[in-house]
Amino acid sequence: MSTRAVAREFNVNFSNVSHLQRRFREFCRTSNRPHNRRRCETRPGSPHPASSPLQSPSADVREFACASISRVVQQSQTIPGFLQRDAVRRLGPLMLDRSLAVRETATGALRNLSACGGHEVCDDMVKQDVMTPLTALLRETNAALSLKGQKNTVEDVANEAVNLLWNLCNTNVSWSVHLVIWTCPAPPLSLAHCLHTVTEDNAELLCSMNNAVLGTLESVLLSSQADMSHTLLRTLAAGSVWNLKSSLPTAHQAQTLTALMATLSQCLELDAGTLIPQLRQVEVARSATASEAGNMEDHQAAAGNMPVEEMEDDEEEGVGLRKNGKATKIDKDFSDLLPRGKEELREATALLTAQQTSLEIIVNMCCSDDPSDDEWEEASSSDESEMCPDGLSEGNTSLLSPLCLSAEVHAALINHNIPEKVLKKTQFPSSEAMDVCRHNPTWKILIKKMHRVQYRALTCLHNMLSTMDAESLGGAAALQAVAQHLSTLVFSPPEIPKEEEFLEAVTSAMRSLLQIIAYMKIPQCMTPQQMMSLSEAATCCDVVSVRVNALAILGITGSTLAKENGTAETLQMIGNALLQVATKDANLVVCGEALDALFDVFADGDEAERAAENINLLSALKALQPVFKAKIRKEGKGKYSPEQLCVLDNVKVNLRRFIGYLETVVKK
C-alpha cells in the first residue's frame, strides 16, 4: 500500500510523511531507507531519540524531529512509549513555534498521533493539555489568514490544526464545536468539514447551541461567491444547519429551510460533465502560459509533490448507510493535501465533494427514523430511544420538529425541483469528463468521485421513493419513466455492472420503485428475464443487502405475474431461483428473504398453484424446514442481531403455515 493510501485510510498527515522521506534523503542518514521496520528500542526512563532534537535551536532540526515522530506514530506499538515520555507536552509548544514549517509539522505529528491512537489516545492528549496550544494556534491562524501575502503558508498550518481538532472531536464533541465556532468566525473548508461531522446526532451540542453560531451558518448559506470552494462551503454549512435544525429559532425556521434547500438545489444544478473538461482546459492553458514565461520548472515541481502512483490510491473515502437508512459520513476529504499549483483540480474536487454531500443531506432528510418491516435486514440498534422521533416526549411542536418535518421538507423538495435534479445525477458520469480524467494521471482521482456522486443519487432516489407519494413524484407516467431509466442503467451495458456500491444503490432504488408500481398496478417496463439476469448477478455479490434487494425484486415481480394468465412457466423460473438461494446461501438473512419472496409469489392464484406443483415446491420446503430451524438455533445468537432473529423466527413460523397452506391446495 502506498504512503498516501495509508495516510488517507487513517486521516493522517501525508505531507509530513512525504516531507520525512525528502528530509531523510537530504540529510543522508539512513541510506535512503526511511521505511525500515525495526522497532525503536529505548531503555526505561531514557528520553525518546526524537525528544532532544525537538528543543534544538535549529528550526530545520526541530522540523525533522517532528516529521520523524509523525512517521513513527503510524506504527501503533510505538504510541504508548511516546505518551509515557510526554510527547504531547513536548510537541504542544511547537505548534506555536516561530517557524511556520515547524508549526505545520508538529501539528501534523499530533494529528497522526490522534488518528492512529484512537479514542483513548485522544483522551490522553486532552488530559495532557493539548487544547491550550491548539486553541492559541487556531486563534493566531484565524487572524493571520486575513493578512495579505501569508494566506498559503498559514492555511497549511490551519488545515493541520483543524484536522487535529476534528480527530479530537470524537472524544468530546461539545467543547470541540464551541472551540471551532469561537476561534474561527470565518471557517475554512477543513473547519466546515469538521463542523458538519460533529454536529450530527449530537444531543449535548444541541442543548447549548447559541444564536451567534446559527447566525454565522446562515450567513454562509446566503453568500453568493460562485467558485466551487464556496459552493462546497455553503453545502457543508447546509449540512450543519440541518443537523442543528431543532435549535433554530422558530421565527427563522421557514426562511432557513428555504435557504438550505436552495443551496442544495444550486449545487446539484451544476453539471460536472461540462465543468470538469473546462477546468482541465484552464489548467492546460495556464501551464502553457507558465512555460512560455520560463516558469515550467516550478510548475512541474509543484505538480510533482504528489507522485502519480500514489494519487491513484486516493479514493478510500465513502459514506455508509446506517441501519435506519441514513447516510453516515466517513470523512476522508483530503483536498487540503493537494499540491499548490493544482487549483483547477481543487475546484473540480470541491465540486464533486459538494454534490456528494448535497445528496447525502437529502438522503438523511428523506429517511425514516423507524426501520420498515421490509427493511429488516438493515435492522438498527435495539435502543428504544432510537425508535421514537426526537423531541416527541418533550412536546416539541416547532415548525421543523419531526411531527411536521415531512410536510415541510416535502414541500421544499418539490418547490426546488430536487427529485428531477437527483434523477439526473443518477446517470453514468459524462464520457467526456471520464476521458479527461483517464488521460491525465493527476486527475484520475476524480473518476471514483464522479461514480460516487451517481451512487449517492441512486440512494437518494431510493429514499425519496420510499417516503414521498407517487403524485408528488409525477404520477404513473413519471414512475414509468424512472423505471425505464433504471432499466437502462442496469441492462444497457454489455453486462450488468458488478461494482458493489452501484449494485447496492440501484437495487435499492429498483426495489422501492417496483413496490410502488405494483401497488398502483402500473405496467412494468422490465421483463422477467431481465429480472432474472439481475438476480443472477446479485447472488454473486458479497454484499448481503444487494442479494436481499434482488430477491425482494423477484418476489415483487412474481407476485404481480401470479395475478396474470399464462405466467406459470415464468413463475416456475422465479420459484426455482428463489429455492436455490433459500437452500444454498450461507447467510440466514438472505435465506429468510428468499423464503418471504416465495410466500409472496405462490400465495394465491391458479398460475401460482400450477407452477408450485411443477417445481415440487411443497416437498422442497418440507425438506428445507428442519435445516432452516437448525441453522437459526446454531448460528442465530452469535451472528445476527435480536431484531434479525425476531424476523427470522417470524419467517420460520410463516414457513410452517405456508407448508400447511400448500398441503391444503394439494388435497383439493
Side-chain angles (χ1 to χ4, degrees):
M1 182 180 289
S2 70
T3 303
R4 171 164 290 277
V6 173
R8 289 184 181 281
E9 183 69 25
F10 293 102
N11 189 15
V12 295
N13 178 270
F14 170 74
S15 60
N16 277 355
V17 179
S18 297
H19 169 81
L20 174 61
Q21 294 172 346
R22 294 196 301 273
R23 300 289 284 187
F24 269 129
R25 289 193 287 271
E26 291 169 7
F27 282 82
C28 300
R29 294 188 178 180
T30 63
S31 302
N32 198 24
R33 287 181 295 157
H35 292 296
N36 70 78
R37 299 184 180 274
R38 292 175 296 173
R39 293 188 60 176
C40 185
E41 302 286 345
T42 56
R43 292 187 298 275
S46 64
H48 194 275
S51 61
S52 298
L54 291 175
Q55 283 82 44
S56 171
S58 169
D60 281 345
V61 173
R62 295 196 302 276
E63 184 184 0
F64 176 76
C66 292
S68 300
I69 293 174
S70 180
R71 175 67 181 92
V72 174
V73 294
Q74 293 183 56
Q75 302 175 27
S76 59
Q77 70 269 22
T78 67
I79 292 178
F82 274 99
L83 295 177
Q84 290 172 8
R85 294 172 178 82
D86 284 337
V88 176
R89 294 186 189 276
R90 295 173 184 270
L91 285 169
L94 295 181
M95 288 195 286
L96 301 172
D97 195 276
R98 59 183 178 274
S99 166
L100 285 177
V102 174
R103 287 188 177 198
E104 180 187 357
T105 316
T107 310
L110 288 168
R111 172 184 174 180
N112 285 6
L113 182 63
S114 65
C116 300
H119 290 280
E120 292 183 2
V121 171
C122 288
D123 283 334
D124 197 62
M125 292 174 70
V126 173
K127 291 176 183 176
Q128 294 191 40
D129 200 28
V130 73
M131 293 309 303
T132 297
L134 180 56
T135 302
L137 178 61
L138 285 167
R139 285 172 174 164
E140 287 190 22
T141 54
N142 182 56
L145 282 171
S146 61
L147 300 178
K148 294 182 179 179
Q150 293 193 32
K151 183 172 182 181
N152 285 350
T153 52
V154 176
E155 192 176 79
D156 291 336
V157 179
N159 278 325
E160 294 304 329
V162 172
N163 276 284
L164 170 58
L165 179 61
W166 190 352
N167 293 337
L168 295 174
C169 284
N170 291 323
T171 300
N172 191 324
V173 290
S174 60
W175 57 255
S176 298
V177 174
H178 285 301
L179 177 63
V180 169
I181 300 298
W182 183 37
T183 56
C184 301
L189 277 178
S190 53
L191 183 60
H193 276 292
C194 179
L195 185 59
H196 185 210
T197 300
V198 299
T199 53
E200 185 174 17
D201 293 335
N202 186 351
E204 183 180 356
L205 173 64
L206 294 179
C207 296
S208 54
M209 189 55 61
N210 57 57
N211 290 337
V213 173
L214 296 171
T216 300
L217 290 171
E218 288 179 5
S219 66
V220 174
L221 277 182
L222 297 174
S223 63
S224 58
Q225 294 92 331
D227 61 280
M228 297 303 106
S229 295
H230 279 90
T231 298
L232 175 56
L233 183 62
R234 284 191 294 272
T235 303
L236 293 168
S240 299
V241 169
W242 177 255
N243 293 339
L244 300 170
K245 58 186 178 293
S246 61
S247 297
L248 293 173
T250 303
H252 294 165
Q253 287 178 346
Q255 178 184 357
T256 302
L257 179 60
T258 299
L260 185 157
M261 202 65 72
T263 295
L264 302 181
S265 176
Q266 291 164 8
C267 178
L268 294 178
E269 199 167 344
L270 297 171
D271 184 5
T274 300
L275 290 172
I276 287 176
Q278 289 177 355
L279 288 168
R280 173 57 184 163
Q281 289 174 2
V282 172
E283 183 184 62
V284 171
R286 184 171 56 80
S287 299
T289 302
S291 178
E292 292 172 3
N295 294 328
M296 180 55 74
E297 182 178 349
D298 292 341
H299 175 73
Q300 290 174 340
N305 284 342
M306 189 185 304
V308 168
E309 66 273 15
E310 293 183 348
M311 287 188 66
E312 292 175 355
D313 290 330
D314 181 56
E315 280 294 330
E316 293 296 334
E317 64 179 327
V319 169
L321 283 181
R322 279 208 214 125
K323 316 276 191 202
N324 61 358
K326 284 188 178 181
T328 177
K329 293 176 286 299
I330 303 172
D331 287 287
K332 295 187 179 180
D333 183 271
F334 288 85
S335 55
D336 61 301
L337 300 180
L338 288 173
R340 301 292 176 193
K342 307 296 290 184
E343 299 307 320
E344 294 79 14
L345 181 55
R346 284 174 178 264
E347 285 283 281
T349 302
L351 166 63
L352 295 173
T353 304
Q355 293 192 334
Q356 177 182 331
T357 304
S358 295
L359 292 164
E360 290 162 5
I361 295 169
I362 299 169
V363 166
N364 290 349
M365 286 180 175
C366 296
C367 76
S368 170
D369 287 332
D370 298 328
S372 60
D373 291 339
D374 62 345
E375 290 176 334
W376 60 275
E377 72 279 3
E378 301 278 3
S380 62
S381 167
S382 59
D383 184 359
E384 291 184 0
S385 64
E386 294 182 4
M387 303 301 289
C388 300
D390 296 337
L392 184 60
S393 59
E394 300 175 4
N396 187 352
T397 58
S398 65
L399 179 62
L400 285 181
S401 72
L403 290 176
C404 56
L405 174 62
S406 295
E408 293 294 329
V409 171
H410 183 277
L413 290 170
I414 299 302
N415 291 340
H416 290 87
N417 298 317
I418 296 296
E420 292 88 343
K421 293 175 181 179
V422 168
L423 184 61
K424 189 173 182 180
K425 294 300 177 187
T426 63
Q427 297 174 354
F428 286 113
S430 156
S431 58
E432 183 181 2
M434 292 288 285
D435 288 341
V436 165
C437 296
R438 287 192 190 101
H439 297 143
N440 297 277
T442 56
W443 286 63
K444 282 186 177 180
I445 59 172
L446 300 183
I447 293 177
K448 288 185 179 179
K449 288 182 178 293
M450 285 189 283
H451 282 298
R452 189 157 286 122
V453 169
Q454 181 197 25
Y455 305 155
R456 296 299 175 269
L458 286 166
T459 301
C460 196
L461 177 63
H462 158 65
N463 277 22
M464 288 193 298
L465 289 167
S466 300
T467 56
M468 297 177 70
D469 61 275
E471 291 305 317
S472 65
L473 293 172
L479 292 174
Q480 280 187 314
V482 173
Q484 184 61 54
H485 171 66
L486 293 179
S487 176
T488 301
L489 288 180
V490 175
F491 302 113
S492 61
E495 59 179 18
I496 295 176
K498 293 182 173 60
E499 170 61 40
E500 290 180 350
E501 201 169 355
F502 171 80
L503 282 175
E504 184 171 20
V506 77
T507 55
S508 295
M510 291 177 69
R511 176 179 181 175
S512 297
L513 178 62
L514 289 174
Q515 285 174 332
I516 297 174
I517 286 178
Y519 176 77
M520 297 182 65
K521 299 181 180 179
I522 300 172
Q524 294 186 14
C525 66
M526 288 174 269
T527 67
Q529 288 71 26
Q530 286 178 324
M531 298 296 187
M532 289 300 302
S533 64
L534 175 61
S535 175
E536 291 171 4
T539 53
C540 299
C541 181
D542 292 333
V543 179
V544 169
S545 59
V546 173
R547 305 205 298 276
V548 167
N549 285 336
L551 294 169
I553 288 170
L554 277 184
I556 296 167
T557 303
S559 62
T560 302
L561 291 173
K563 299 178 177 65
E564 301 175 6
N565 295 324
T567 58
E569 187 175 344
T570 303
L571 293 177
Q572 288 175 216
M573 181 172 60
I574 292 174
N576 282 324
L578 293 173
L579 274 175
Q580 180 86 354
V581 174
T583 55
K584 294 188 176 180
D585 199 289
N587 189 289
L588 281 175
V589 168
V590 179
C591 294
E593 185 66 38
L595 288 171
D596 264 340
L598 280 168
F599 304 156
D600 292 338
V601 173
F602 296 97
D604 191 23
D606 294 338
E607 297 293 330
E609 291 179 8
R610 190 176 301 111
E613 182 180 357
N614 291 341
I615 64 173
N616 297 315
L617 181 60
L618 177 58
S619 59
L621 291 179
K622 281 185 174 180
L624 174 62
Q625 185 180 27
V627 177
F628 185 69
K629 291 171 64 176
K631 279 187 176 181
I632 293 177
R633 282 197 306 270
K634 183 178 179 180
E635 304 174 13
K637 292 184 179 180
K639 294 177 62 176
Y640 303 98
S641 70
E643 290 78 12
Q644 289 174 327
L645 288 175
C646 180
V647 178
L648 286 171
D649 282 337
N650 286 336
V651 174
K652 180 176 65 175
V653 172
N654 289 338
L655 175 59
R656 175 174 53 80
R657 293 173 178 172
F658 190 70
I659 289 174
Y661 161 74
L662 291 178
E663 289 175 336
T664 303
V665 171
V666 170
K667 292 176 182 178
K668 282 185 180 179

